[in-house]
């Protein structure tokens, strides 16, 4: 009897607690002023047919856009063909390109003899690097290799590649012909036709390009529009937008004379021993091309610029011209890293002094920059900074006797590589991969990308491991 009574008491207690809990759980939101107010807002503003339908419509549109983007990329990748080029003339063996992979990771490659190049767009919105491989220019025995790292757009790098290189080729051919004829430099006609780089009138727009295998042609085929005056560098865009007045409008177009500026007498490039002074030749041609580039850029308000790294090889003689922060490195017969060029950085004492004497400043914004904008103190183009001579295009020239170093290979690369590799690391990396199809150029480019390089990356390797140095 007592057990039955205890059970009834326990049961009644349980029922009472459950009723209280149920009343609390159900009644609190309805009786509480806070919860009831929120609930009324939800019912009035959110749970309405038109709101629900609009939200559903937006979700469907968003999903459709995502699906179309994925489908279009997949379709483009399936339809994308390797781009092959026709054989250029002997004097114009320029770059070949092959585009692979997703567009945001597009790559360009070349393999010709003992030279290989691999380049990737990487994490940049557009590919602004350019390169040139010109072996044995018109049978002269002179080999030319170049890397151009554009910034602020493609115009300057394209201009340097198409005009500067063509002018150098023409000059070298002309000089070699004079030397081969055994003409006394003192008897050469002083009115030799001027170099195309300085004789032609300043163009009002980018000059028409010859029909030849070019970087611009293949990038355009892949759907990248090139528009004069379009700035693509994100940091540069941000800096220009932050200025009270657009820097592209602060420099007035300069008045130029209709009379062309005569170039130096061509005989000044011929030494007494009937050899070419490549250092003086490259310096004059770079400065002449830069002058025309700046004038052309002003007319279209194109603030683009480019670094210049050119290597000329004749026999055992190597001449390297550098403007900016692209870099060349040589691996000698002992496996040591020998610099072929030195970067032009604003924080260097020589460069900083020059900039400050010109009325400019060097500030730190992630990296040291000229006027808080440009991370290199020398470049072709960049006319807003060029007019005040904050940035110059004067190249540094270094000459090497390869028979002394007996190099295994040479590396020419844009700063996208050197942001993640030191000279010694790059030499060690390539040295163990010379057996690869691209002599390690592809491997080190991709490795630099995986290490986090944020720039375009272009690596040119000249494999000399099998060359006989007498």
């Amino acid at each position: 009897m007592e057990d039955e009574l205890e059970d009834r008491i326990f049961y009644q207690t349980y029922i009472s607690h459950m009723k209280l809990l149920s009343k609390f759980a159900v009644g609190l939101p309805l009786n509480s002023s806070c919860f009831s107010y929120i609930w009324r807002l939800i019912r009035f503003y959110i749970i309405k047919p038109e709101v629900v339908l609009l939200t559903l419509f937006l979700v469907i549109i968003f999903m459709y856009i995502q699906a179309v983007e994925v489908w279009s990329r997949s379709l483009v990748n399936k339809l994308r063909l390797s781009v092959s080029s026709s054989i250029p003339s002997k004097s114009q063996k320029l770059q070949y390109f092959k585009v692979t992979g997703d567009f945001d990771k597009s790559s360009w490659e070349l393999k010709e003899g003992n030279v290989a190049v691999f380049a990737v767009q990487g994490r940049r919105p557009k590919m602004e690097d350019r390169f040139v491989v010109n072996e044995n220019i018109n049978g002269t025995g002179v080999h030319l290799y170049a890397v151009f790292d554009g910034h602020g757009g493609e115009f300057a790098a394209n201009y340097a590649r198409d005009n500067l290189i063509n002018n150098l080729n023409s000059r070298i051919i002309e000089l070699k012909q004079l030397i081969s004829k055994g003409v006394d430099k003192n008897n050469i006609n002083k009115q030799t036709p001027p170099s195309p780089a300085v004789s032609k009138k300043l163009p009002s727009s980018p000059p028409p390009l010859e029909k030849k295998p070019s970087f611009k042609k293949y990038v355009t085929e892949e759907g990248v529009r090139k528009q004069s005056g379009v700035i693509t560098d994100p940091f540069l865009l941000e800096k220009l937008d932050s200025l009270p007045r657009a820097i592209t409008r602060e420099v007035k177009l300069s008045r130029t004379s209709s009379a062309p500026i005569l170039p130096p007498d061509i005989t000044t490039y011929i030494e007494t021993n009937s050899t070419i002074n490549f250092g003086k030749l490259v310096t004059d041609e770079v400065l002449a091309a830069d002058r025309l580039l700046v004038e052309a850029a002003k007319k279209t308000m194109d603030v683009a610029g480019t670094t210049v790294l050119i290597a000329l090889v004749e026999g055992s003689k190597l001449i390297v011209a550098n403007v900016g922060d692209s870099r060349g490195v040589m691996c000698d017969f002992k496996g040591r890293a020998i610099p072929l060029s030195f970067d032009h950085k604003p924080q260097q004492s020589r460069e900083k002094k020059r900039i400050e004497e010109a009325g400019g400043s060097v500030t730190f914004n992630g990296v040291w920059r000229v006027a808080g904008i440009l991370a290199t103190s020398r470049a072709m183009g960049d006319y807003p900074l060029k007019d005040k001579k904050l940035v110059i295009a004067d190249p540094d020239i270094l000459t090497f006797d390869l028979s002394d170093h007996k190099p295994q290979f040479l590396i020419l690369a844009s700063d996208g590589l050197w942001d993640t590799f030191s000279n010694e690391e790059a030499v060690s990396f390539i040295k163990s991969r010379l057996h690869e199809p691209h002599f390690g150029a592809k491997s080190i480019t991709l490795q630099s990308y995986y290490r986090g390089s944020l720039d375009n990356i272009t690596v040119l390797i000249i494999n000399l491991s099998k060359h006989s140095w007498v």
Side-chain angles (χ1 to χ4, degrees):
M1 191 67 177
E2 292 179 1
D3 294 338
E4 185 178 352
L5 182 60
E6 289 178 359
D7 291 340
R8 287 182 179 180
I9 295 173
F10 178 78
Y11 176 74
Q12 292 294 333
T13 304
Y14 171 75
I15 294 298
S16 299
H17 281 288
M18 292 303 296
K19 287 181 177 180
L20 290 173
L21 182 61
S22 177
K23 184 177 180 181
F24 175 80
V26 176
L28 183 58
L30 298 178
N31 297 330
S32 173
S33 59
C34 179
F35 284 102
S36 61
Y37 177 71
I38 294 174
W39 175 246
R40 284 197 301 271
L41 289 178
I42 292 175
R43 284 192 303 173
F44 184 78
Y45 291 106
I46 299 178
I47 309 179
K48 297 178 68 175
E50 56 270 29
V51 175
V52 173
L53 289 176
L54 178 60
T55 303
L56 183 61
F57 175 75
L58 293 176
V59 170
I60 293 174
I61 291 296
F62 178 77
M63 294 175 64
Y64 173 76
I65 293 174
Q66 292 291 335
V68 168
E69 183 180 3
V70 172
W71 293 338
S72 62
R73 287 187 179 183
S74 177
L75 181 61
V76 168
N77 291 333
K78 289 180 181 179
L79 297 178
R80 182 172 292 166
L81 300 176
S82 298
V83 181
S84 58
S85 60
S86 58
I87 300 175
S89 65
K90 292 182 179 179
S91 64
Q92 295 298 328
K93 288 186 179 178
L94 297 178
Q95 58 275 48
Y96 298 79
F97 298 95
K98 180 180 180 182
V99 183
T100 59
D102 293 336
F103 182 73
D104 58 344
K105 298 179 182 178
S106 296
S107 63
W108 292 260
E109 59 184 276
L110 160 72
K111 175 66 182 304
E112 182 176 308
N114 67 325
V115 181
V117 189
F118 199 85
V120 295
Q121 178 177 324
R123 296 174 174 86
R124 300 286 287 181
K126 298 184 75 173
M127 182 58 166
E128 296 171 340
D129 283 2
R130 301 293 186 267
F131 65 82
V132 174
V133 173
N134 196 342
E135 298 259 77
N136 194 18
I137 302 172
N138 203 38
T140 59
V142 179
H143 311 277
L144 184 150
Y145 313 96
V147 173
F148 303 103
D149 183 0
H151 49 263
E154 305 171 45
F155 174 63
N158 283 337
Y159 192 101
R161 177 204 61 196
D162 296 321
N163 292 274
L164 172 59
I165 297 303
N166 286 344
N167 296 335
L168 277 173
N169 289 342
S170 299
R171 281 301 218 180
I172 290 171
I173 293 171
E174 184 180 5
L175 288 166
K176 282 294 184 178
Q177 289 175 347
L178 290 175
I179 293 173
S180 65
K181 293 177 181 178
V183 180
D184 186 350
K185 60 182 292 182
N186 295 321
N187 295 328
I188 297 177
N189 185 0
K190 301 300 181 181
Q191 299 301 323
T192 302
S195 168
V198 292
S199 63
K200 59 186 178 182
K201 295 181 179 180
L202 299 178
S204 59
S205 60
L209 305 182
E210 299 178 5
K211 292 183 178 180
K212 59 191 176 186
S214 68
F215 188 96
K216 174 184 173 183
K217 173 183 177 182
Y218 298 123
V219 174
T220 302
E221 289 178 356
E222 290 303 313
V224 179
R225 290 187 304 157
K226 177 185 180 299
Q227 297 178 346
S228 180
V230 175
I231 309 170
T232 61
D233 188 297
F235 182 84
L236 188 56
L237 280 170
E238 180 183 348
K239 295 299 294 184
L240 293 178
D241 290 340
S242 66
L243 295 174
R245 290 181 298 163
I247 195 170
T248 56
R249 304 292 174 179
E250 291 181 355
V251 182
K252 297 181 180 179
L253 300 178
S254 60
R255 295 183 179 180
T256 56
S257 172
S258 58
I261 299 176
L262 295 179
D265 180 6
I266 193 172
T267 61
T268 60
Y269 302 122
I270 301 178
E271 303 287 355
T272 55
N273 58 352
S274 295
T275 59
I276 299 175
N277 186 336
F278 287 105
K280 178 175 173 56
L281 173 63
V282 174
T283 299
D284 288 349
E285 292 297 335
V286 167
L287 293 177
D290 179 63
R291 180 180 59 81
L292 290 177
L293 168 58
V294 168
E295 294 297 337
K298 286 181 181 180
K299 295 179 183 299
T300 57
M301 294 299 178
D302 195 315
V303 300
T306 182
T307 67
V308 178
L309 181 63
I310 298 175
L312 290 166
V313 180
E314 182 183 26
S316 62
K317 188 176 182 180
L318 169 66
I319 301 90
V320 180
N322 179 55
V323 180
D325 54 7
S326 293
R327 191 186 310 167
V329 179
M330 168 171 49
C331 174
D332 68 4
F333 71 100
K334 293 184 178 180
R336 296 173 299 190
I338 309 297
L340 299 179
S341 67
F342 296 92
D343 302 350
H344 293 132
K345 294 293 188 181
Q347 68 270 25
Q348 294 172 348
S349 58
R350 178 185 63 167
E351 298 296 294
K352 184 177 181 181
K353 179 181 179 181
R354 177 185 60 76
I355 294 168
E356 291 176 345
E357 288 178 350
S361 63
V362 177
T363 58
F364 186 82
N365 193 343
V367 295
W368 292 100
R369 297 178 183 272
V370 180
I373 296 176
L374 194 60
T376 179
S377 57
R378 299 194 189 189
M380 287 182 62
D382 294 296
Y383 83 81
L385 300 174
K386 188 67 63 65
D387 272 18
K388 297 181 179 180
K389 298 191 181 302
L390 304 185
V391 173
I392 60 176
D394 301 58
D396 282 341
I397 307 292
L398 295 180
T399 303
F400 303 84
D401 189 339
L402 298 181
S403 61
D404 292 337
H405 298 280
K406 299 179 176 60
Q408 300 179 45
F409 56 87
L410 310 179
I411 305 174
L412 305 179
S414 59
D415 69 323
L417 174 71
W418 307 116
D419 288 342
T420 57
F421 276 86
S422 66
N423 292 358
E424 292 73 20
E425 288 174 336
V427 164
S428 177
F429 191 96
I430 294 296
K431 186 179 178 182
S432 62
R433 291 169 175 80
L434 281 177
H435 62 279
E436 295 180 354
H438 292 84
F439 309 131
K442 181 175 182 178
S443 295
I444 197 171
T445 300
L446 297 178
Q447 182 64 27
S448 179
Y449 174 82
Y450 296 141
R451 288 188 179 187
S453 178
L454 302 176
D455 206 348
N456 303 143
I457 310 168
T458 299
V459 179
L460 187 156
I461 303 293
I462 306 172
N463 184 5
L464 300 172
S465 60
K466 296 182 180 180
H467 187 85
S468 178
W469 302 102
V470 180

